[in-house]
Amino acid sequence: MQELEEERSWLALGSPGLPTYVLLTTLLAAAMAWLYKKQQKVWLVEQIPGPKALPLIGNSLFFWGGPEVLFKQLYKVTEFGAVARFWLGPNPYCVLSSAKAVESILSSQRHLHKSWDYTLLHPWLGEGLITSAGSKWHSRRKLLTPAFHFKILEDFVDVFTSQTDTLVKRLRAKADGRPFDVFHCITLCALDIICETAMGRRVNAQEDSESEFVKAVHDLSSLIQFRQFRPWLHPDFVFRRTSHGRKHDACIKTIHGLAKQTISMRRKARRAKRFAAQKKAPEEDFGQKTRQAFLDLLLEYSENDSTITNEDILEEVNTFMFAGHDTTTAAMNWFLYVMGTHKEIQTRVQEELDAVFQGSDRPATMADLRELKYLELCLKESLRVFPPVPMIIREVKEEIQINNYRIPAGTSVVIHVYRLHRDPEQFPNPEVFDPDRFLPENCNKRHPYAYVPFSAGPRNCIGQKFAQLEMKVVLSSILRNFRVESDIPWEEMRVHGELILRPKEGNPLKLHPRK
């Protein structure tokens, strides 16, 4: 009888704990399932060739060092094969460096998500066209595409020409046959162009190169790259308590402050213009030509769609400035470098310019730019050898098979553009600068994803026509006025693989006036 009572007491005590046992069992099963899935992901990634990784930190030490070391080490990863892998802490990366492998990602409508690395840009760009994904990206892309119509871009040629005239005057003062770093001059010109076309505001960077805004734009790009390859700085809580984090936040404050001020000013100006237009007779506007900045177009959209907020406008203006400033700066500098190291090719470009302009100092027209066929070939080849954006990173949200390797969901996929453009199967003698590679008869034989300086597929660069037009105007004007010479041999040029591909020691050139 006593034993029965004890058993009843035990059951009475145990019955309230039954839900707890069920909960613990469920949690244990979930943990085991997660661990199994994690182990399976690790196993799949480890089937891909790559450098040996250490526990917890992965290959972080492999990439330890400055931007030059980082760039070299990433290139070494591609030597493991067209599909290779590395780890940053617990995060796996898959590196693609062949046209066939790259096509699997760039041509896909499913793998459009940028990797977590791009979240480091969120404080600057928010969720603009570069960093957004899913339905937000689709709606933004659809909204912004008309803003890059060629007829709209034609109106910007006056800005390109005006700012290039200022650049040429500055270069002429330095063109005494001695080498100087052209990179800084080109940077300021590109910044002036992008601010005037994006915001409709002159920042006069070429006159005031020490301005807080100019410095903030330059510093922020370097800080983001510095943080990207140091996993311990990824958490905001840690980063913001470092000197780098405090400098980063100060740069953001400066850039956003100017952009917000400009948005407010342009809104007021648009209201004043509409009010004045109501009082003005229609014939008073006859013959006047107005040029809308990118910001004006966004403000016009917001006036017709109340869901577009000031924050949305800020995101896209900053995105356009980021994407259109550093990239074109780097591209134009690399073009001038290859002209300075390939004198016979530079001569052919200048002969074409002389034939089109007949010695005139007049500004370039759209018709002139269309005639510069050989300059365009050289520009394309320069973008092949020195792509301004050396890597593109996506995150696959579902498993994908590339070259017989299974890439698990959650893996960051790096498209190594610099290495891709040096694939000898697609570009024989890849280290040779040969503009004829881009003659139609040669392009037709090439894989469509072998050359992607502006990315490709659904997420290709929306501003590539803008960039090409700007570069043609600026570079044609420089070569109309100067003979370019570089003393740095091709094989000795050292590069920084930051967000943008830059020469490590700048771009020292000798300029010789042609007139």
Side-chain angles (χ1 to χ4, degrees):
M1 191 68 176
Q2 187 178 356
E3 291 178 357
L4 183 61
E5 286 299 324
E6 288 177 356
E7 186 175 346
R8 284 175 179 170
S9 299
W10 183 86
L11 289 171
L13 288 171
S15 57
L18 187 60
T20 303
Y21 295 142
V22 172
L23 178 61
L24 288 173
T25 303
T26 303
L27 290 175
L28 181 61
M32 291 181 67
W34 177 86
L35 185 61
Y36 173 77
K37 192 174 180 180
K38 178 73 174 176
Q39 287 300 108
Q40 184 185 40
K41 180 178 179 178
V42 171
W43 183 84
L44 286 174
V45 172
E46 284 299 310
Q47 303 310 299
I48 304 168
K52 186 176 180 180
L54 297 173
L56 299 178
I57 64 172
N59 298 109
S60 296
L61 295 180
F62 182 75
F63 296 108
W64 187 262
E68 184 183 8
V69 174
L70 167 64
F71 185 77
K72 286 181 178 178
Q73 295 301 84
L74 275 171
Y75 195 91
K76 283 184 180 179
V77 173
T78 68
E79 294 173 357
F80 284 89
V83 181
R85 63 101 189 104
F86 66 90
W87 296 82
L88 281 183
N91 303 311
Y93 286 76
C94 179
V95 186
L96 310 181
S97 56
S98 74
K100 181 184 174 185
V102 163
E103 182 179 15
S104 303
I105 297 295
L106 292 185
S107 65
S108 172
Q109 291 283 355
R110 303 170 73 87
H111 304 293
L112 299 175
H113 289 77
K114 294 296 182 78
S115 78
W116 71 268
D117 304 73
Y118 289 81
T119 62
L120 301 181
L121 292 168
H122 282 180
W124 184 2
L125 309 182
E127 291 190 67
L129 197 60
I130 287 179
T131 54
S132 59
S135 60
K136 183 171 184 178
W137 174 80
H138 279 285
S139 62
R140 287 287 177 91
R141 179 80 183 204
K142 185 177 180 182
L143 176 75
L144 295 174
T145 295
F148 293 91
H149 189 279
F150 206 73
K151 293 301 292 182
I152 292 176
L153 298 184
E154 283 186 20
D155 291 338
F156 291 145
V157 171
D158 290 344
V159 177
F160 302 158
T161 301
S162 172
Q163 296 295 352
T164 302
D165 287 345
T166 301
L167 172 64
V168 168
K169 288 175 185 175
R170 295 186 76 228
L171 294 179
R172 197 172 291 282
K174 297 173 178 287
D176 57 4
R178 290 179 294 180
F180 69 97
D181 186 7
V182 177
F183 200 99
H184 187 58
C185 298
I186 301 289
T187 299
L188 297 179
C189 178
L191 187 56
D192 271 338
I193 287 173
I194 208 67
C195 286
E196 191 169 351
T197 53
M199 297 191 297
R201 177 170 183 167
R202 285 178 174 255
V203 297
N204 298 316
Q206 295 188 84
E207 278 79 28
D208 184 15
S209 61
E210 301 304 317
S211 76
E212 283 188 39
F213 177 78
V214 172
K215 191 172 186 305
V217 170
H218 293 168
D219 289 347
L220 196 53
S221 293
S222 296
L223 285 166
I224 290 168
Q225 182 74 52
F226 177 86
R227 184 184 183 189
Q228 181 185 8
F229 281 85
R230 288 163 178 79
W232 54 93
L233 293 179
H234 291 169
D236 289 338
F237 178 81
V238 175
F239 183 64
R240 285 177 176 165
R241 281 159 178 76
T242 66
S243 59
H244 299 293
R246 290 189 289 273
K247 185 176 180 181
H248 171 277
D249 290 347
C251 292
I252 293 289
K253 184 177 179 181
T254 299
I255 294 170
H256 282 191
L258 183 104
K260 288 176 180 177
Q261 181 190 56
T262 305
I263 290 171
S264 177
M265 289 169 53
R266 299 294 279 198
R267 275 201 188 279
K268 290 177 182 177
R270 287 178 65 81
R271 285 196 291 268
K273 186 177 179 180
R274 281 198 301 271
F275 180 75
Q278 292 171 357
K279 295 186 172 183
K280 190 184 291 185
E283 57 270 18
E284 290 182 56
D285 286 327
F286 182 77
Q288 291 187 2
K289 181 181 178 181
T290 59
R291 180 181 64 244
Q292 285 189 306
F294 183 61
L295 171 57
D296 293 314
L297 295 168
L298 290 173
L299 291 172
E300 187 177 305
Y301 294 155
S302 71
E303 289 161 4
N304 298 320
D305 184 350
S306 59
T307 64
I308 301 174
T309 66
N310 266 8
E311 196 62 33
D312 295 330
I313 294 170
L314 179 67
E315 287 176 348
E316 297 306 342
V317 168
N318 281 328
T319 294
F320 187 45
M321 289 179 60
F322 165 76
H325 160 231
D326 267 0
T327 51
T328 51
T329 293
M332 290 190 286
N333 270 283
W334 287 121
F335 177 89
L336 291 175
Y337 168 70
V338 294
M339 288 295 104
T341 53
H342 295 77
K343 296 179 181 179
E344 68 291 347
I345 293 176
Q346 182 181 173
T347 297
R348 283 190 61 184
V349 172
Q350 290 176 325
E351 286 173 351
E352 179 181 69
L353 289 167
D354 293 342
V356 170
F357 292 97
Q358 297 291 312
S360 169
D361 290 332
R362 63 178 174 78
T365 65
M366 290 299 296
D368 295 328
L369 298 176
R370 283 190 287 269
E371 291 297 313
L372 302 179
K373 306 292 187 185
Y374 191 66
L375 183 143
E376 186 171 325
L377 294 179
C378 292
L379 185 54
K380 287 180 178 179
E381 174 70 344
S382 175
L383 290 169
R384 179 192 72 83
V385 180
F386 297 112
V389 181
M391 286 166 288
I392 302 165
I393 313 179
R394 301 272 179 91
E395 182 180 337
V396 293
K397 296 296 185 181
E398 58 187 64
E399 185 178 302
I400 180 175
Q401 185 161 314
I402 303 177
N403 289 17
N404 297 321
Y405 293 109
R406 291 168 61 193
I407 314 298
T411 303
S412 294
V413 177
V414 181
I415 296 163
H416 202 301
V417 180
Y418 185 91
R419 177 64 178 82
L420 174 70
H421 286 183
R422 283 167 165 73
D423 184 350
E425 289 187 16
Q426 303 294 332
F427 301 100
N429 300 315
E431 295 298 333
V432 173
F433 187 82
D434 180 11
D436 288 347
R437 296 182 198 274
F438 291 93
L439 290 170
E441 58 269 26
N442 295 328
C443 290
N444 292 338
K445 305 171 186 175
R446 196 173 298 134
H447 193 288
Y449 285 85
Y451 177 72
V452 292
F454 296 101
S455 188
R459 283 203 81 144
N460 68 340
C461 175
I462 195 173
Q464 60 182 289
K465 289 182 179 178
F466 176 97
Q468 290 168 327
L469 196 58
E470 176 187 349
M471 290 188 287
K472 268 191 164 184
V473 171
V474 176
L475 295 171
S476 65
S477 183
I478 291 174
L479 291 182
R480 284 167 67 185
N481 285 276
F482 305 101
R483 182 84 183 165
V484 181
E485 183 183 348
S486 175
D487 290 334
I488 303 177
W490 191 256
E491 62 279 2
E492 293 180 18
M493 173 54 74
R494 298 164 68 186
V495 299
H496 266 182
E498 299 181 320
L499 292 172
I500 306 299
L501 190 71
R502 295 184 175 91
K504 183 179 186 295
E505 308 295 342
N507 186 20
L509 296 177
K510 297 176 184 176
L511 298 186
H512 307 278
R514 297 186 68 212
K515 299 175 184 179

